[in-house]
Amino acid sequence: VKKSGGGNYRIYEETMERANSYRFGLQSDFKRALHDEEFYLVYQPKVNANTGSISGVEALLRWNKNNQELIPPADFIPLAEETGFIVPLGEWVIKRACEQNKQWQDAGFTPIRIAVNVSAVQFQRSKMDEIVERILAETGLEPQWLEIEITEGTLMVQDEFTIRSITRLKELGVIIALDDFGTGYSSMQYLKQFRLHSLKVDRSFIQDLHEHHDRAAITEAITQLAHGLGMSVVAEGVEKDEELEFVKSIGADEIQGYYISRPLSKEDFESYLQSDSKV
Ligand code: C2E
Ligand code: CA
Ligand code: CA
Ligand code: CA
């Protein structure tokens, strides 16, 4: 019976090799998938809390792998970040979203903001401000109709590169929102330093807040803080009547979640826009 550390080492090596070739395989998979148009966007409305009419839309990425398996973003975005593929993929997302929003405007729909998610890795690995400026010029979309959702992780990095990109994006006239607020290293310092346009209260605080006093208290405090700093508040992940009533009662500005609508295909979102404008 072999009982040496060498055996363990070999297992370790084999595991690493498999992990590496898995990664390498994924990287070429990603490239092929982008080329074969397996990525697409779905669109989730945000509505004005008082009127219920549409105020914006968030573009969410989907991967229909080999046209047979739908992979959720939570599964492939971390890998795309690790391999660096998030840079070309993220650029594709912004381009596609801007192009689409411009098409909707040209078709005569009431203009709305389109939001895209940009991760900390994207800010660190590419010149986001230059990419966005170029895409706006190429698509002809005016900057106020584009919103970028960043996370606390992006602000926490505090490298010159990221700070300059965010500052320049704001100067361009692009709207910046802080996503998943309350789940990361929420720092009042960042809110003061960056003066972002809006703040999205994370779904984990909204979920069943009528049954959890702590969640309701946090949601209310975050809303007051944001308003005090001149930011608007989006309640995300609203699914139930009670959640909606509570976030409205404390003055949240916008609502997003399954209660309003799930993320929709381009076609279904266009029907949504059409019925919305008739109200
Ligand atoms: P997120 O930015 O916080 O997006 C909200 C997520 O919650 C979406 O999941 C959305 O479908 C889901 N959601 C919305 N309303 C409800 C609700 O009422 N209940 C529940 N249970 N869920 C709700 P999705 O589309 O699977 O995206 C997951 C995450 O993947 C996103 O979280 C975002 O962090 C990331 N992601 C998606 N698209 C992109 C992208 O293009 N680029 C980057 N960097 N990240 C992306
Ligand atoms: Ca988001
Ligand atoms: Ca979020
Ligand atoms: Ca999230």
Side-chain angles (χ1 to χ4, degrees), residues 58 60 116-117 149 179-180 200 236 256:
E58 179 173 1
L60 295 156
V116 294
N117 293 283
E149 297 192 359
D179 202 359
D180 302 340
K200 300 184 78 174
E236 65 173 357
Q256 189 180 9

